Amino acid sequence: MNRPSAVTEAMTLLETSIHPRNHLAFLSQHEVDRLINRTDETLYPLIRSCALAVLNSGVATDDSLGLFSQYPDFDMEFERHPRGLQVTLKNAPAQAFVDGTLIETIHDQLFAVLRDLLHSRDSSQNLNALSPRDCSNLVFQLLRNAKVLESNRELSCIVCWGGHSISQAEYDYSQAVGQELGLRRLDICTGCGPGAMKGPMRGAIYAHKRQNYTEGRLIGISEPGIIAAEPPNGMISELVIMPDIEKRLEAFVRIAHGIVIFPGGAGTVEEILYLLAILGDSRNTRDPLPVILTGPASSRATIEAYVEFLTLTLGADAVSRMTIIIGDPVAVAEHIQRGREDVKNYRLSTNDAYYFNWTLHIPSTLLSPFVPTHQSMLALQLDKDQPPQHLACELRRLFSGIVAGNVKPEVRRSIDSQGPFEIKADPHLVAAIDQLLNRLITEQRMKMDGEYQPCYKIISTR
């Protein structure tokens, strides 16, 4: 059997049982009961979709409906066991196994899904009602429970953002940057998908090996709607599932000691807007977190398009918070290395933890879960008569909704039945948004599989 890298005809394994191990083995009796009895009606479908995504780890696709439709008979059963829990997989994707045994990293990722989904449900039943402090505490608890946070570790976590649908040159460049970061014994954290989320990890693995660095970490942070649409790449050593996109984004910026952004589609623009909305807040002016927007020489026009869009919408001051480096992986790593020292000194001066940036102020509008519906997308306040930080928050929601419309199954079904989202904005913003989105579509950054059909319609308010 050839292991597919894209959606292919499905082969399944009839039945097999697995057990948790190491820190993933510790489930309470209450948690085990919830799994066995399926007392939470919404929990099992969530577990099933995330587990099926993990079992398709390494398959580069964003067509979740097409991928998951091949496994209608996949099921999971849970039984109490002396080791805490026994999970029986039925009709699971055969590519996740070698000679009938589940691949080790996939095994651990399956139990990471159970750990995080159960813990987030136990920690908060109503995410919409959480205060900003409670949101940050929940993010901290989930990362701590996943053993991501280590108090005795140097400032080594570099978050890499970028697109899943990218060119070969961009993938190779992201891998080269990951190699330079890895040679400096830095760890990589990404959104755990393919493309620019996989490349830096692949480069870092090679570099860590060259440096005989055996403690390197490759952390993937996702959320149920995204992981169901984009299976994890095969490089990840630690997987964390946050309850929603807002907690996922907060986790990135709280644990980052530097952020590297590669070219991507609507999701990458969402991440940039989220970050600039935070760094543009006066309470975060002194935070020295290094942020680099980078890509190969062939991506210069795309990066310039990002900068033009951000300048037209948020102003030059917002864009100045990022350093632009084109075609130079060594310069990227060197800049991150210098910036890491500034971060260390700042954390010492503010008595903040190395492993979690508590002092970073995140506006409440970035913490509240945004559910993209036809009504919520139409209600976005897209006008220039507001502070840049507020506009950045609204634009972040716009691009988050477009991402959901592109890849999330439940949102795609809504668009299929009701038509594309209608989004109203003032004329200046319409022109800037249209120009950027049209470029992303032309460069095939919005979708990996099939021809892209826009899930939105931008309407001028004047």
Side-chain angles (χ1 to χ4, degrees):
M1 178 189 72
N2 292 323
R3 300 190 184 280
S5 58
V7 178
T8 59
E9 185 177 351
M11 297 176 62
T12 61
L13 193 71
L14 187 60
E15 184 172 315
T16 189
S17 295
I18 57 175
H19 305 89
R21 58 189 173 215
N22 54 56
H23 70 280
L24 301 173
F26 298 105
L27 295 178
S28 70
Q29 291 296 303
H30 175 62
E31 289 171 328
V32 173
D33 286 342
R34 288 172 67 188
L35 291 171
I36 293 174
N37 300 323
R38 300 191 183 182
T39 53
D40 187 335
E41 293 182 358
T42 62
L43 180 60
Y44 176 72
L46 202 59
I47 288 174
R48 181 185 182 277
S49 64
C50 291
L52 193 49
V54 165
L55 289 163
N56 279 285
S57 176
V59 176
T61 182
D62 55 6
D63 182 9
S64 55
L65 295 177
L67 178 63
F68 294 163
S69 67
Q70 298 184 81
Y71 305 101
D73 298 325
F74 171 69
D75 196 12
M76 304 173 70
E77 292 184 355
F78 306 95
E79 297 179 40
R80 204 176 304 280
H81 190 272
R83 280 181 272 178
L85 181 70
Q86 175 174 293
V87 180
T88 301
L89 304 175
K90 296 185 176 182
N91 301 303
Q95 68 207 27
F97 299 82
V98 177
D99 300 333
T101 301
L102 197 60
I103 293 171
E104 292 284 321
T105 55
I106 294 178
H107 176 284
D108 285 351
Q109 288 172 9
L110 276 176
F111 285 100
V113 165
L114 296 179
R115 174 201 67 206
D116 293 338
L117 293 183
L118 285 167
H119 188 70
S120 61
R121 288 298 179 98
D122 288 341
S123 299
S124 177
Q125 291 294 324
N126 188 357
L127 295 172
N128 291 304
L130 293 180
S131 69
R133 180 179 291 273
D134 289 338
C135 286
S136 298
N137 282 332
L138 176 58
V139 170
F140 177 84
Q141 290 167 19
L142 289 167
L143 291 170
R144 182 180 61 183
N145 193 53
K147 307 295 184 185
V148 168
L149 305 178
E150 293 186 359
S151 61
N152 61 345
R153 200 173 184 88
E154 284 298 314
L155 288 78
S156 61
C157 183
I158 309 305
V159 169
C160 295
W161 288 336
H164 63 296
S165 181
I166 60 175
S167 68
Q168 186 63 47
E170 289 172 341
Y171 178 80
D172 292 343
Y173 182 81
S174 73
Q175 184 169 310
V177 170
Q179 182 172 329
E180 291 299 327
L181 295 171
L183 287 171
R184 290 159 177 81
R185 292 180 171 84
L186 297 174
D187 303 318
I188 305 297
C189 175
T190 78
C192 88
M197 291 168 276
K198 176 182 178 181
M201 291 183 163
R202 190 181 183 96
I205 287 176
Y206 173 70
H208 290 166
K209 183 70 174 177
R210 291 187 66 195
Q211 291 285 35
N212 290 326
Y213 179 54
T214 59
E215 298 177 2
R217 308 180 75 182
L218 304 172
I219 303 166
I221 301 180
S222 192
E223 57 96 13
I226 292 294
I227 197 172
E230 291 180 358
N233 68 64
M235 304 294 110
I236 294 165
S237 60
E238 301 170 60
L239 177 66
V240 185
I241 310 295
M242 289 290 162
D244 55 46
I245 190 67
E246 286 76 17
K247 309 300 179 297
R248 181 196 193 204
L249 290 169
E250 181 173 358
F252 283 132
V253 300
R254 294 287 186 193
I255 67 172
H257 303 121
I259 296 180
V260 178
I261 306 168
F262 300 100
T268 303
V269 178
E270 176 190 4
E271 290 162 343
I272 294 172
L273 289 164
Y274 178 88
L275 184 60
L276 293 184
I278 293 170
L279 297 180
D281 190 289
S282 59
R283 286 161 287 193
N284 299 320
T285 301
R286 293 179 55 240
D287 194 300
L289 181 70
V291 179
I292 299 174
L293 179 57
T294 189
S298 58
S299 301
R300 182 182 296 275
T302 302
I303 291 174
E304 289 175 347
Y306 291 159
V307 172
E308 181 181 8
F309 167 75
L310 296 168
T311 303
L312 288 172
T313 55
L314 306 181
D317 286 346
V319 179
S320 68
R321 195 58 179 79
M322 299 187 297
T323 300
I324 314 297
I325 299 176
I326 305 293
D328 194 340
V330 173
V332 171
E334 289 176 344
H335 186 87
I336 287 291
Q337 190 80 305
R338 291 191 298 271
R340 196 167 63 121
E341 289 302 311
D342 294 335
V343 171
K344 182 176 182 178
N345 292 332
Y346 179 72
R347 300 283 178 92
L348 286 170
S349 70
T350 57
N351 292 317
D352 199 6
Y354 283 172
Y355 51 86
F356 194 85
N357 190 348
W358 286 106
T359 61
L360 196 68
H361 176 79
I362 300 180
S364 59
T365 49
L366 292 178
L367 297 170
S368 303
F370 175 69
V371 180
T373 64
H374 286 76
Q375 292 74 26
S376 64
M377 293 291 278
L378 188 61
L380 292 173
Q381 299 299 307
L382 299 175
D383 62 77
K384 297 205 71 174
D385 296 330
Q386 56 184 315
Q389 291 75 32
H390 294 175
L391 178 56
C393 293
E394 290 296 290
L395 287 169
R396 198 286 298 182
R397 288 180 167 181
L398 164 63
F399 281 88
S400 185
I402 291 174
V403 172
N406 288 347
V407 302
K408 292 189 176 181
E410 70 279 6
V411 183
R412 288 177 60 190
R413 283 190 285 267
S414 173
I415 290 169
D416 288 341
S417 64
Q418 300 180 51
F421 293 134
E422 289 189 354
I423 298 149
K424 292 185 177 180
D426 76 32
H428 298 294
L429 291 178
V430 167
I433 294 167
D434 266 340
Q435 182 176 328
L436 180 61
L437 287 174
N438 288 337
R439 173 177 280 278
L440 299 181
I441 293 171
T442 300
E443 295 180 355
Q444 299 181 322
R445 297 184 183 276
M446 301 287 265
K447 187 172 178 59
M448 294 180 68
D449 301 310
E451 183 179 352
Y452 179 67
Q453 296 294 327
C455 62
Y456 60 87
K457 186 191 317 181
I458 312 292
I459 302 170
S460 176
T461 55
R462 297 175 196 166

